[in-house]
Amino acid sequence: MVSHRMADRGFGSRKDHERRVKTICRECMVGCGLVAYLKDGRIVDLHGDRDRPVSRGRLCAKGIAFVQGLRNPGRIVSPGYRKRIGEPFGGPEEWEAALDLCAESLRKIRDQHGPESIVIGSDRDWDLEFAVGAARFARRLGTPHLYLSPGAQSAFAREPRAVPPSREWGKSRCIFFIEADMAVTHTVGFGWALEAQRRGAILVAADARFTRTMSRAHSSLTIRPRSGNLVGLALAKILLEEAPHSSYVQLGRWADEEKRDAFFEGLEWQELEGRIGLDRAGLKKICDLLRENSPVVIVTGRDLSALPHCSIWSSLAAGMGGAGAASGWYPLHPAAPPLDPCLGMEGEPDHPVEDGPPLKEVLASSKAVLCSGNFLGSRTPSHASEDPLVVSFGPFPNATTDLSQLVLPSTLWPEESGLCFSADQEILWGEQILEKGGECRSSLELWAGLARRFGWEKDFPWINGDGAADPAAFAQWLLENSPGTRGCKWEWLRGTGGGATSIFWPFDGGANRLEAADPIPIPARLEAAAGVTVQDDFPLHFQKAPSISRSEESGEWWPGVRDLEPEDGVQIHPETAWALDIETGDEILVTGPVGSLRGRAWLSRMVPRWMVSAPMNSVGERVRIEKPGRPREETLNLLKELLR
Amino acid sequence: MRPVEQSAVRDEFLWVDSSRCIGCFSCEAACQMEHDLPPGPRPIRVIQVGPLQNGDGLFMEYQPATCRHCTNPACVAACPRGAMQKKGDEIVISDPAICVGCQTCGVACPFGMPQLNPSQGKISKCNGCAERLAHGLSPVCVLACPTEALSFKTPDSHVQEVRGRTASVLRRYSRFK
């Protein structure tokens, strides 16, 4: 008799604990189940929840290591104020007093310089509560300068479309990753792709840096950074040229076929090849792979959703056909349902910020900036005018808090209950694990507090009768007001953190009937290449290594991982480095059109010869590297010689 | 039918399939959490191999590495105090009551598995999650691994899995012949 005995994947903790919380890990939004054990208000043990279908008890390193960030001595736990940057921070030390100061300062600036002098921004694309609150506050204040991260903006604009849930990928025959390093960003979700591979599916990956996802792929291609959507256009062009009767072309959601044909005929192969970094033959191989191995799941990276021509994936996915849920487009950006954040408010919708002046100019003439995350650090290195008032809201010090006068401490996700949406488009409720400490508050409490001080409570529907912010009220408001979730009740979500219930959006369990999404309009011509045109001075491409943690830069505060990727490490291909006489560890300067940064060289074949990559703030899409002591002309000439 | 023998030796063992390892370090983090280790000692480690040039492309693999609980452990032979022992159930552990942290075992081990735990001054090494196994649970690294690169099973289970998977792949592709 054959023994099938397999050890239980595990449940329970033998560590001394007082209570147990079943919740959802909100580090990356695969939505893994998490069971935490607490004693004396601290987490003593945790593991994955095997009842959650998407994760089946697994938990990646982020889901375990976040605990180290919670009690890190470097964390900001009380507000701080200083008159000038560079001075040490002083009081007020209570949240309410700090908010009084914030509201009073904003009011003064608004009265003196007008509401357009105030900029509100966030670079955290998963903080839906902050984004909604910010949009509503900006509308009441009367400022058009609202800069949300590309992920949040695309969440607000997102159409109510279903994605192929990862646990169905076993039925696909091909999974195509385009500038999506899912093995790093959505680790447990990537386990499903490997499961599909075990069942005979092929994995195809295209990216600039050689990623872990690519190392597992059957077929991988190196493309220029941020050219992912152009690859989609190139694939569509090949299909139109060679297989106009295929389902990819016939079923694509084209608004106007004549315009489509005109657009694609106007696309020059030379330009496409130059911008993607691959020739037509290479792209055709990929195209053939996809056609021969349907059903196909296309996984696109977070940044692609913010770049032009992203809608091509919707068109291609519509023709992917195959066995029901096992094909389609799976974007890796926050899967919040479509929502008008200012629903129910008076006033005109704000003009999209792309039509306005660039952020750098706006910041240079602003008098106040209210932001979360590393908004300033990632957007601009400095201001031109005298220091505006900068108020930043976050859990850890970063480049933005260095530029701030007022710093407000925020909670981390384990310290607040909240609504969340997984990448599979599941609607989930993450139960709070432990109490917040110090003077930390949530995004909802920030906006509720400011709204109360301005008398705008009516416009913030999550403020309850006592004036406090209620996450359940926010959840209920959002669920009712998004066409993707209308009909879903918050009470039903209570079980999702601790059981096998899965509720997906678009939710049509109620009488809610979604209108079929509009066909995608075709642009008249290809978007001009962004970035600097003076490529002689900046011969290398630059890619910022993405932040993978919802606990922001707390990755720096997890001692176990700090050694793995040095925060000032600049990855350079060995051939490029040797041509410039650079060894690993050497101090180098990375210069772009926007500024320059110091770092240490880290030779690695993970980057192609024509690119460098670093977790540091971007100084431009094109850069040069310099070794101190060597004349710039000589370096540039060597680089050009190498890259020819 | 083979009679089930009563024996201290379990017939499950830790399967490491590095072709499925994606270098996510979940196993390292889970082990550290389970055994309350400070950052530093990693009883299970993931070693990155590459990227290496492979023709036109690149090749990169991740190799999870942990104590093999060898049949003839070099660490047991090397330990000057007798702290490192191979127990009846084949697991090799270090007795913290005897260990002085001299790290001779770490030098002797061909894989470098025993590491110093700086907060205790003693050796930290994979103990086979003995307490968990006693409760019928799998080792914590296996529990955490998102891709089943690590699994804990009997040889028969493994054979059944491979057969089942091969059969489903064959069945699927035979339709297209």
Side-chain angles (χ1 to χ4, degrees), chain A residues 9 14-15 200 212 216, chain B residues 19 22 33-34 143 148 173:
Chain A
R9 283 189 68 83
R14 287 139 334 287
K15 293 194 185 164
R212 286 190 216 145
R216 300 293 94 185
Chain B
S19 72
I22 55 172
M33 166 66 85
E34 172 77 11
L143 171 63
E148 279 179 55
Y173 284 88

Side-chain angles (χ1 to χ4, degrees), chain A residues 1-12 14-15 43-48 50 56-62 64-65 67-68 169-173 183-184 187-188 190-192 194-202 210-212 215-216 220 293-294 559-560 564 573 575 604-607, chain B residues 1-2 4 10-12 18-36 39-40 42 48 51-53 57-62 131-133 135-140 142-150 152-154 156-157 160-161 163 165 168-169 172-173 176:
Chain A
M1 187 150 124
V2 175
S3 158
H4 290 275
R5 189 178 75 233
M6 279 254 284
D8 192 342
R9 283 189 68 83
F11 207 71
R14 287 139 334 287
K15 293 194 185 164
I43 296 177
V44 293
D45 197 4
L46 48 81
H47 59 68
R50 68 178 171 187
R56 301 169 297 171
R58 294 167 180 111
L59 202 59
C60 79
K62 303 190 285 291
I64 298 166
V67 179
Q68 298 174 34
W169 290 359
K171 300 179 195 146
S172 299
R173 288 192 56 191
V184 170
T187 312
V188 174
F190 186 68
W192 290 106
L194 288 182
E195 181 68 33
Q197 192 179 46
R198 247 170 268 147
R199 288 169 199 271
I202 56 167
F210 185 70
T211 60
R212 286 190 216 145
S215 74
R216 300 293 94 185
S220 62
N293 289 285
S294 106
L564 292 177
H573 193 275
E575 284 171 31
S604 166
R605 287 181 192 274
M606 287 177 83
V607 287
Chain B
M1 235 169 95
R2 187 181 53 165
V4 175
R10 300 182 67 114
D11 37 333
E12 284 122 339
S18 60
S19 72
R20 294 186 204 168
C21 182
I22 55 172
C24 70
F25 305 110
S26 307
C27 49
E28 291 192 12
C31 181
Q32 288 189 326
M33 166 66 85
E34 172 77 11
H35 298 102
D36 294 322
R42 290 140 68 193
Q48 178 172 331
L52 307 170
Q53 205 70 41
L58 287 176
F59 162 89
M60 187 158 76
E61 277 235 326
Y62 289 90
E131 265 199 54
R132 289 182 60 90
L133 295 190
H135 284 78
L137 304 174
S138 65
V140 79
V142 170
L143 171 63
C145 179
T147 60
E148 279 179 55
L150 298 173
F152 191 67
K153 52 195 170 183
T154 62
D156 288 339
S157 292
Q160 282 303 100
E161 260 180 50
R163 282 177 169 167
R165 201 171 291 133
S168 72
V169 172
R172 175 186 234 184
Y173 284 88
F176 292 93

Side-chain angles (χ1 to χ4, degrees), chain A residues 115-123 128-150 152-153 156 340-342 345 348-357 359 362-363 368-372 375 379 447:
Chain A
E116 292 87 15
S117 64
I118 301 176
V119 173
I120 300 181
S122 166
D123 80 337
L128 199 60
E129 289 89 348
F130 187 92
V132 171
R136 296 179 87 85
F137 191 80
R139 172 74 68 85
R140 275 311 298 259
L141 195 62
T143 172
H145 301 306
L146 174 69
Y147 291 88
L148 298 172
S149 71
Q153 281 176 342
F156 288 154
D340 173 10
C342 294
M345 294 181 74
E348 293 295 312
D350 308 312
H351 62 82
V353 288
E354 302 95 68
D355 294 350
L359 176 60
V362 170
L363 281 173
V369 179
L370 170 55
C371 62
S372 78
F375 178 69
R379 296 287 170 84
W447 294 116

Side-chain angles (χ1 to χ4, degrees), chain A residues 73 134 175 186 189 214 232 248 333 355 361 442 462 489 492 539 555:
Chain A
I175 306 180
H186 295 73
M214 283 169 91
Y248 292 86
H333 68 58
D355 294 350
E361 277 179 38
S442 67
W462 54 87
K489 298 212 179 316
W492 301 342

